[in-house]
Amino acid sequence: MSEHEPLGSETVPSLSESLGFQETVVELGVGHPAVRRVLAGSGATTGFVVSLDDDRMTAVEVEIGLGHRGFEKEVESRSWREALPYVSRLGYETGVLCEIAYCGAVESLSEIELPVRAVWLRTLAAELSRAADHFARLAAIGAAIALPGAEQAARAGSELAMRVLALAVGRGPIAGFAFPGGVASDLPGDFADLWPSARAALESRLARFEVVGARNPSLRRRLRGVGRLTQEQAIAWGVTGPALRATGMAVDRRREATSAGYDDLAFELPIGEQGDSLDRLLVVVEEIRQSLGLAEQCLERLDRLGSDVIAVEGLERGEPSVPAGAGECSVESSNGELGFYVVSDGGERPLRVRCRAPSFLLAQALPQTLVGESLDDLLPIVASMRLLCPEIDR
Amino acid sequence: MLNEPASAPEEGSASGSPLDGLRARVRALGFEGVGDASGLPALRVGRDASLQALERLRDDPGLAMHRLVDLTIVDAGSGADGASGGLEVVYALHSPAQGFRMRVHVTLDEADPEVDSVAALWPAADWLEREAFDLFGVRFRGHPDLRRILQAPDAEGAPLRKHGVPGSATAERDPDDVDAGEGA
């Protein structure tokens, strides 16, 4: 008769060991249906190679680059203005924000003073774009944890916000709205009349998401404590945006002194406490509400503004004259600090166009949030971090 | 260590700006001063002392540049007169505590571009340096895992270099002809 080992002693082998595996490696590549479903709205060219012990992730390699199209090279091979169609394709819902950052960098180098009306129009578009992308993030989280009601409520909000944005900028989601020196079109005459009902409809979509999603106990249990990022980790890994604010740090490009268009607008900066997936979700929910308030303040200012000049004279169609030197502009995009650093030698084409994409650093930081968690938590965490594949791969 | 930090690209003149504190602190640390090219506070440090210089910028309590915002390469190619504008690595730093932002430029040797990795100072530099290695062929000494990141592992050359990397397949290609080699 052999003596039995007491239950719970350290010698109990893990499932991998008892099945004779040294290490289980699962590849959740770009073709994986679950990855596609969660990242569908943002490109789905990012894959994960996950090492497992039972269902715990012991190591994660984030694979990027499948969608690399030489963005910086393309832009450096064209004139300053011809870059714009490439720039707006760095994002889906956030295309307008990318344009605004690029134009801001060119304007800072060329010392172009933007007409006040164009500043407010850009800020209005930026906030609608942020709201649309935030709704899309919430929908992706809903999809990742299989809460179809929450997913559909958020998806409806995202689609509506995109329609309002399209109305405001007068063109489709890949906008072509901003250019160095101004914006392409003013608001349609009836926009101010439509806005109250549009805002109410967006707020009711958000309220619906809060009922079926944010306040839903099963969602809260599912996301609380999952994918935690400490403030120290967030800073060390260059994480910005809602993921950084969820750790309790009120850093936002819109609050910095150099940020044009936000100087005298009133808005709150929601922050989290624990830096987990639930805090990221709650920060984003509140930021949608703040963005709608900011959009309304922009409309009030546009209404009061006498001038109807929306572009610097002579730049409506032409190329800006860009002197030799360097310029930069970074904006608070929906998932963090999106910046452009441009260098010119005074010629027709940029010498260097560098895009600092928040998603690139979020993707790099992902293993910090994933290792130690269960494989089931991978997609909810990825969705709550909001990777936009076009700007990761460039 | 910091014996020869070359002077900043252009001495700034914006007096009374909130950057004055930054300027004073940087001077106190023994740097030549903060230039202000196109409104961007910038500092140039020597390549061999870059790691120590960046470490001081991060650890000095008056600066506390705890965030590496971005790291990239600028290849100025050849100017109109044929002279090379040089190759440099540009670090964008942010101090959340002080609210400062600045850039640090380090000039590289074009024929043999190599510089110390800062991945030990800021973990965020890991992928940023891999990207610079991938697209510019710059090597980062002491990087934990320096390999291509955006391009395929078997890609050749450094596409963002203006004249390719000496000895590589892209060296002879016209730098302006981005469509070369692509199908119709």
Side-chain angles (χ1 to χ4, degrees), chain A residues 61-66 68 72-74 76-78 108-109 111 235-240 244 249 251 253 256 324-328 330 337 339-341 343 345 349-352 354-356 359-361 363-364 392-394, chain B residues 37-41 66-79 88 90 92 94 96-97 99 101 103 105 122-128 130-131 135-136 145 147 149-151 159-162 175-176 178-179 182:
Chain A
E61 185 171 355
V62 181
E63 291 199 323
I64 65 168
L66 189 69
H68 180 58
E72 288 170 12
K73 183 70 181 170
E74 289 281 6
E76 287 168 20
S77 310
R78 281 163 172 78
S108 84
L109 173 54
E111 296 184 352
I235 292 171
W237 290 93
V239 169
T240 50
L244 175 59
M249 194 166 185
V251 172
R253 204 70 180 108
E256 287 186 40
E328 71 170 342
S330 65
E337 190 181 324
F340 279 89
Y341 175 62
V343 182
D345 59 358
R349 298 178 199 173
L351 195 62
R352 179 85 179 98
R354 163 67 180 170
C355 171
R356 190 270 184 206
S359 295
F360 185 81
L361 292 127
Q364 177 177 217
I392 299 178
D393 293 337
R394 279 162 288 140
Chain B
S38 305
L40 315 183
H66 288 161
R67 282 187 58 220
L68 176 72
V69 178
D70 198 11
L71 181 160
T72 193
I73 307 288
V74 174
D75 182 359
S78 52
E88 60 181 19
V90 184
H94 176 216
R101 279 174 188 262
R103 284 180 194 271
H105 298 249
W122 295 283
D126 185 338
W127 277 22
L128 294 167
R130 278 179 65 189
E131 187 186 353
L135 302 179
F136 287 90
D145 184 22
R147 59 195 162 93
I149 182 164
L150 289 176
Q151 299 191 88
L160 284 178
R161 285 289 286 278
K162 298 294 181 195
D176 292 335
V178 287
D179 298 327
E182 288 177 13

Side-chain angles (χ1 to χ4, degrees), chain B:
Chain B
M1 293 205 311
L2 296 170
N3 44 4
E4 49 169 28
S7 67
E10 193 182 310
E11 199 58 37
S13 59
S15 59
S17 74
L19 293 172
D20 285 351
L22 172 66
R23 285 168 213 289
R25 193 66 218 156
V26 165
R27 279 209 187 80
L29 276 179
F31 295 103
E32 288 275 322
V34 176
D36 218 342
S38 305
L40 315 183
L43 187 71
R44 188 172 291 278
V45 301
R47 187 190 54 176
D48 296 333
S50 66
L51 187 63
Q52 295 92 320
L54 287 160
E55 189 170 9
R56 285 180 77 174
L57 293 172
R58 184 192 68 165
D59 293 341
D60 178 71
L63 289 174
M65 296 287 182
H66 288 161
R67 282 187 58 220
L68 176 72
V69 178
D70 198 11
L71 181 160
T72 193
I73 307 288
V74 174
D75 182 359
S78 52
D81 54 356
S84 172
L87 186 71
E88 60 181 19
V89 52
V90 184
Y91 304 85
L93 306 178
H94 176 216
S95 165
Q98 306 285 348
F100 299 143
R101 279 174 188 262
M102 69 184 293
R103 284 180 194 271
V104 177
H105 298 249
V106 177
T107 303
L108 302 174
D109 177 358
E110 271 183 273
D112 182 27
E114 193 172 49
V115 69
D116 286 326
S117 166
V118 296
L121 298 182
W122 295 283
D126 185 338
W127 277 22
L128 294 167
E129 289 181 342
R130 278 179 65 189
E131 187 186 353
F133 167 75
D134 188 3
L135 302 179
F136 287 90
V138 172
R139 291 186 311 282
F140 293 87
R141 260 191 308 265
H143 187 285
D145 184 22
L146 197 61
R147 59 195 162 93
R148 290 192 185 276
I149 182 164
L150 289 176
Q151 299 191 88
D154 58 352
E156 283 187 27
L160 284 178
R161 285 289 286 278
K162 298 294 181 195
H163 298 289
V165 175
S168 79
T170 54
E172 304 306 320
R173 196 178 289 171
D174 178 358
D176 292 335
D177 188 3
V178 287
D179 298 327
E182 288 177 13

